[in-house]
Amino acid sequence: MNELITRAFREEKQAIEERINTATILDLEVKISNLKDILNNPQSLLNFNMEDIKDYITEFEHDNLEYLKQALGLEFFLITDNELERIKNIISSVLEKIEKIYQEQKQEIDKLHNEIKKLENLEESVREIYNGSYISSEDLRILVEILNKYIDISEVNKLIGELCTLSIINISKVDELELEEIPDEELEIAQETNIDSNLVEALFSSYGYNIDLIKEETRNLLYRYGTLENMDAIFKLLEDNNIFVNIKRFQKQFCNILIHSNKENVSTIIELLKRDMIVNESSETLNEVFENVLCAQEIFINRKRAFRRYKKSGGSSGGGQNNGGRYENFVINHDYLESLGANVLKIIDSCEEVMRMNPNRLKRCVRDFDFYGIPKESYLNSPSAFKVTTNLETMDMFIELGGYEYACSNPSMLVRATNSPMFYRLYKAKEENEQVFRKTKKSILLPKRITVESEKGYGIDFTNGSEVVKQYIPEFSTDYGLLIEKDTFDYNMTNALNDELIKFLEENYKIDDLRYNFNGVIISRNKVLRNYELLIRHGQGGKFEALMYALTKNSILNEEEFNLVFDCAKKVLEKRGR
Amino acid sequence: MLQFLKDIGISDITILKMINNNSEDILYDLECDQVNCLEVIKYLQELNIQVIDDLLINEIGMFFKTKEYLVNKFSKFNISEIVDDINDDYIAIESVLYD
């Protein structure tokens, strides 16, 4: 670990340790013990130093106690029960006060010890980054706070940049470990088995299926690559669960499962579906639910098993690309969606593609939606939204064009590309002060002149949007886009938020967590922070041009609007010059 | 790929967008389920839905549903209103599918 970081941790630890005042607490412990002695034996007041409690009692109580102490010391003076009681009352009240202070002090010390413990854990987490681990954004925020106290800001930026980069590399390594692509040569390819067609027909018949409903071409695959044991085990499992597949409709899917899947996978899926049916109080039958997932045949097949590829005895498997099954994806996605509180059956029913997609992509989509505050119930009820990877940039477009609520209501619309004619049409509508968003009972919709391509609303099609709205395309001396594309955003914007240029924007133009307002031009705040963060990590921090790139990336602005943003942002330079 | 869609007049551009927007696996599944898919398209045409291309590109999952399933889903709505909504903004199909 970097020596500067180690030193900062050491100094922070020392600073906390210095605040731990054990002397006071030991002193209080002695006082409490002495006072308790007096309560048990008032005679011990004689040996008690009244100065010890002077600060905790009134002058009257002090004098009273002093008088009683002296009286106790006189042999000829007989102290009454009332006087003894008075001693006890005063001492009890002092004891109570001191015990309270003692508890507060103790809590403070425990808190400081806790802080040290946390600091040590954080130090360990940072050290672990160098051993292949990664750090959470909250830990990173605390780390920045600590480093800022002991190290020069420019050095902090450099160190944090390094740690972020390492951390991101490590995160992607973890992702790869979970879901590494199976190299083509490692795929298990179905071998020819050439089983007797009569035996297969008999097997089908024994479970009540008419094999003649399957087209000859598909049937031949069963004879050539299936095994009787595997088919029998799957048929038996289905029968035990009262599932009878419509083999006329699902012939290709079902035969693929019989050839490439196994009893264990089918059983796991059936059990998950049963659980979903109970959790979501489904009114469908298991048979119906099962046929819904049957459309997505590859979720029954292991990732290592080549799906749709076969091998002739002694021959090669032929060409073809890597296409293993998606069973593992289904199981991981199922658990993940369930943990989010989704009605998994509904997702299977309406968009089962989500179930087989790469789990990392699914998780990333969810993080994107959360990042922009899209309500969970909205995206979980709109599963097509998980199908794309450009969510963040599209969301920025909606924010800048006044369609944030529309996107929240219809997150599937985030599938649109940032250069979709729809955005140029939204710009025109905004320019002409048209109210295009229409609320219905269920959601918010747009008119066809905005959404339907063939309508050519406002004269805009796929080719001329930029031209029609007179979009200003600024030129930059560096290809910042290329730098941004090098990284995947990790939702950590600590560097950006600590940057002086951004601090200026935050103070002067932020209207809420989603938007900056530059004299009427709305710019997505997350877009700026996200892109600028990545640029900082590539050594572009503090550069005004880089900031302008982050501000205007993908924005549909005419020259006048661009200049408004520019004029507002450049005020930071004036501030810098002062 | 997806020749059966070309055969009923779906344009090459739409097919290309379908390929761009969906995984090879799901397109293969659609090939496997083409009889059903054609029935669904026919039903949507009967309803006078004019944005079938958009639905094929963006909501491919619905073409794996049976006609009966969709009839049941649509029956919960005022058909002409919801069809107008869908023709305006295809995203309105989500109200039908995910209700």
Side-chain angles (χ1 to χ4, degrees):
Chain A
M1 190 160 73
N2 185 294
E3 178 52 32
L4 284 172
I5 301 179
T6 312
R7 204 186 71 203
F9 271 112
R10 196 170 51 234
E11 288 183 19
E12 176 74 357
K13 210 165 143 185
Q14 276 168 3
I16 299 173
E17 276 165 351
E18 278 165 18
R19 282 160 55 207
I20 300 178
N21 185 354
T22 46
T24 312
I25 205 148
L26 287 174
D27 182 49
L28 289 171
E29 275 174 7
V30 173
K31 282 178 184 160
I32 289 169
S33 167
N34 289 341
L35 291 168
K36 281 184 177 167
D37 283 349
I38 298 171
L39 279 181
N40 291 331
N41 174 20
Q43 283 293 333
S44 56
L45 182 63
L46 271 173
N47 307 317
F48 187 69
N49 182 1
M50 293 293 290
E51 284 298 303
D52 284 355
I53 54 169
K54 203 178 155 191
D55 296 339
Y56 306 104
I57 51 177
T58 63
E59 202 180 335
F60 174 74
E61 284 171 331
H62 180 269
D63 291 348
N64 210 332
L65 215 51
E66 189 63 48
Y67 160 76
L68 291 167
K69 183 182 170 183
Q70 284 172 16
L72 277 171
L74 298 172
E75 275 183 32
F76 55 86
F77 193 90
L78 191 65
I79 201 153
T80 64
D81 285 348
N82 271 350
E83 283 164 336
L84 277 178
E85 202 53 40
R86 207 181 320 147
I87 293 175
K88 282 187 179 176
N89 282 344
I90 297 172
I91 296 295
S92 295
S93 136
V94 178
L95 185 63
E96 199 180 315
K97 280 181 196 164
I98 294 181
E99 277 184 328
K100 196 177 164 206
I101 295 167
Y102 173 79
Q103 285 306 331
E104 284 168 3
Q105 293 271 335
K106 200 164 176 298
Q107 273 175 12
E108 180 61 24
I109 288 176
D110 288 346
K111 205 175 119 194
L112 293 169
H113 278 302
N114 232 345
E115 275 183 36
I116 292 179
K117 186 82 200 146
K118 277 187 190 166
L119 201 64
E120 286 169 350
N121 288 341
L122 178 60
E123 193 177 2
E124 185 56 29
S125 301
V126 176
R127 194 171 292 116
E128 279 302 305
I129 297 177
Y130 296 91
N131 296 329
S133 183
Y134 54 90
I135 191 167
S136 72
S137 54
E138 179 57 14
D139 278 353
L140 200 66
R141 188 188 62 75
I142 301 168
L143 180 64
V144 172
E145 269 178 23
I146 296 168
L147 297 183
N148 276 339
K149 289 186 204 168
Y150 305 101
I151 307 174
D152 182 71
I153 180 91
S154 60
E155 203 61 46
V156 173
N157 283 344
K158 211 172 116 193
L159 287 171
I160 292 295
E162 271 173 25
L163 286 175
C164 283
T165 313
L166 258 179
S167 198
I168 293 160
I169 292 168
N170 293 339
I171 286 175
S172 37
K173 272 187 198 156
V174 172
D175 286 350
E176 280 163 22
L177 282 177
E178 283 174 5
L179 277 158
E180 60 195 24
E181 274 298 324
I182 313 283
D184 213 28
E185 61 277 12
E186 284 178 27
L187 280 176
E188 179 202 331
I189 294 159
Q191 302 258 356
E192 271 193 28
T193 51
N194 294 315
I195 44 177
D196 185 339
S197 59
N198 291 324
L199 292 176
V200 180
E201 281 165 28
L203 181 69
F204 267 68
S205 179
S206 70
Y207 286 99
Y209 290 95
N210 177 5
I211 202 167
D212 294 334
L213 292 173
I214 300 174
K215 282 183 188 163
E216 196 182 348
E217 182 195 0
T218 312
R219 227 184 309 159
N220 285 339
L221 285 176
L222 272 183
Y223 304 149
R224 200 176 298 159
Y225 299 101
T227 64
L228 283 172
E229 299 73 28
N230 196 42
M231 288 193 245
D232 187 31
I234 294 173
F235 274 128
K236 176 87 178 54
L237 180 72
L238 295 177
E239 189 181 64
D240 289 346
N241 284 285
N242 294 321
I243 294 172
F244 191 83
V245 175
N246 174 350
I247 57 165
K248 186 163 189 254
R249 180 178 169 202
F250 295 108
Q251 49 186 290
K252 278 195 177 175
Q253 294 92 327
F254 192 51
C255 287
N256 270 329
I257 290 168
L258 290 176
I259 295 170
H260 299 292
S261 184
N262 56 54
K263 179 188 157 194
E264 287 70 32
N265 289 7
V266 180
S267 171
T268 304
I269 291 174
I270 289 176
E271 289 311 313
L272 287 174
L273 295 177
K274 280 184 186 170
R275 195 169 85 201
D276 294 335
M277 288 175 70
I278 295 168
V279 172
N280 300 303
E281 296 170 356
S282 170
S283 57
E284 286 181 293
T285 63
L286 180 60
N287 210 95
E288 286 168 327
V289 174
F290 186 78
E291 285 193 343
N292 277 336
V293 290
L294 211 51
C295 295
Q297 52 208 299
E298 65 272 26
I299 63 160
F300 290 89
I301 300 161
N302 287 331
R303 294 177 71 228
K304 283 201 166 180
R305 173 72 174 211
F307 162 57
R308 286 186 269 149
R309 283 171 64 190
Y310 307 93
K311 195 172 186 175
K312 288 184 179 173
S313 21
S316 77
S317 65
Q321 60 185 53
N322 180 342
N323 49 8
R326 298 281 181 270
Y327 168 74
E328 291 82 353
N329 292 11
F330 177 85
V331 175
I332 295 172
N333 290 341
H334 184 283
D335 287 353
Y336 179 60
L337 288 165
E338 198 177 35
S339 74
L340 292 177
N343 181 338
V344 183
L345 273 188
K346 209 166 160 184
I347 293 177
I348 292 171
D349 189 30
S350 54
C351 187
E352 89 290 323
E353 194 181 358
V354 174
M355 304 305 298
R356 55 180 134 174
M357 72 195 290
N358 182 319
N360 283 338
R361 197 171 133 190
L362 178 64
K363 284 178 189 168
R364 194 164 176 88
C365 270
V366 169
R367 288 195 74 176
D368 284 355
F369 296 145
D370 291 342
F371 183 63
Y372 275 89
I374 298 178
K376 196 190 267 184
E377 58 275 19
S378 184
Y379 62 74
L380 290 179
N381 280 319
S382 189
S384 309
F386 294 116
K387 293 200 299 188
V388 282
T389 46
T390 53
N391 289 337
L392 294 177
E393 296 203 326
T394 312
M395 196 65 198
D396 295 326
M397 303 292 287
F398 277 116
I399 288 171
E400 294 182 0
L401 294 163
Y404 176 70
E405 286 74 19
Y406 174 78
C408 281
S409 165
N410 309 300
S412 300
M413 265 299 169
L414 297 173
V415 301
R416 293 283 169 128
T418 51
N419 62 356
S420 160
M422 177 176 160
F423 292 118
Y424 291 101
R425 292 172 188 164
L426 273 178
Y427 177 90
K428 280 303 275 184
K430 199 179 165 197
E431 193 180 51
E432 289 169 19
N433 279 326
E434 279 186 55
Q435 292 298 322
V436 284
F437 297 103
R438 172 168 66 91
K439 266 198 174 173
T440 68
K441 277 181 223 156
K442 303 253 174 191
S443 70
I444 302 174
L445 299 178
L446 281 163
K448 65 172 82 172
R449 68 177 181 281
I450 303 273
T451 59
V452 178
E453 201 183 306
S454 53
E455 286 285 312
K456 294 199 176 171
Y458 304 94
I460 294 171
D461 59 25
F462 255 105
T463 60
N464 64 357
S466 182
E467 196 186 321
V468 173
V469 304
K470 298 190 177 68
Q471 186 178 12
Y472 179 70
I473 314 281
E475 283 181 12
F476 295 95
S477 63
T478 306
D479 193 345
Y480 296 108
L482 207 64
L483 294 176
I484 287 172
E485 278 166 25
K486 278 185 184 175
D487 279 330
T488 308
F489 179 58
D490 62 352
Y491 309 92
N492 186 338
M493 307 189 293
T494 317
N495 289 317
L497 287 165
N498 279 323
D499 182 274
E500 59 163 317
L501 300 180
I502 294 292
K503 278 182 183 166
F504 178 79
L505 299 187
E506 293 279 293
E507 281 164 25
N508 295 285
Y509 304 108
K510 178 182 161 184
I511 49 172
D512 57 31
D513 285 347
L514 294 170
R515 286 164 267 242
Y516 291 124
N517 181 350
F518 299 100
N519 276 346
V521 180
I522 301 296
I523 296 290
S524 167
R525 177 174 171 262
N526 280 340
K527 174 186 81 174
V528 180
L529 296 179
R530 185 177 76 241
N531 290 322
Y532 194 58
E533 170 74 30
L534 294 175
L535 290 174
I536 291 174
R537 292 183 200 173
H538 285 285
Q540 303 298 319
K543 292 185 183 169
F544 181 70
E545 195 193 47
L547 177 71
M548 276 310 293
Y549 180 83
L551 275 164
T552 55
K553 184 175 190 284
N554 291 337
S555 294
I556 303 177
L557 303 171
N558 60 31
E559 191 169 358
E560 189 189 340
E561 289 161 334
F562 179 86
N563 287 335
L564 281 173
V565 178
F566 181 84
D567 289 344
C568 289
K570 85 172 177 193
K571 286 180 184 158
V572 74
L573 298 179
E574 292 161 16
K575 192 190 163 203
R576 220 190 227 175
R578 275 204 298 269
Chain B
M1 189 183 267
L2 303 178
Q3 185 58 45
F4 74 99
L5 290 178
K6 286 186 194 173
D7 292 345
I8 58 158
I10 302 292
S11 73
D12 284 348
I13 290 179
T14 299
I15 302 232
L16 199 64
K17 284 183 185 169
M18 285 175 73
I19 293 169
N20 281 338
N21 213 25
N22 295 286
S23 68
E24 192 196 342
D25 293 332
I26 202 162
L27 297 175
Y28 173 77
D29 292 342
L30 196 67
E31 292 256 11
C32 292
D33 210 11
Q34 54 182 275
V35 176
N36 185 70
C37 174
L38 292 174
E39 254 185 50
V40 170
I41 292 176
K42 199 173 161 202
Y43 172 62
L44 296 177
Q45 284 167 336
E46 282 165 13
L47 288 178
N48 196 27
I49 288 180
Q50 293 151 8
V51 287
I52 293 174
D53 286 11
D54 283 308
L55 296 176
L56 278 167
I57 296 163
N58 298 299
E59 290 290 347
I60 199 166
M62 69 179 288
F63 295 89
F64 292 97
K65 301 295 151 207
T66 59
K67 179 186 167 185
E68 293 70 34
Y69 173 93
L70 292 172
V71 169
N72 182 35
K73 288 279 186 186
F74 271 99
S75 70
K76 293 169 188 164
F77 292 82
N78 175 322
I79 300 284
S80 82
E81 270 179 27
I82 192 71
V83 167
D84 279 351
D85 282 349
I86 294 168
N87 284 338
D88 251 357
D89 192 343
Y90 79 82
I91 204 76
I93 194 73
E94 291 196 344
S95 313
V96 181
L97 296 176
Y98 308 147
D99 190 40

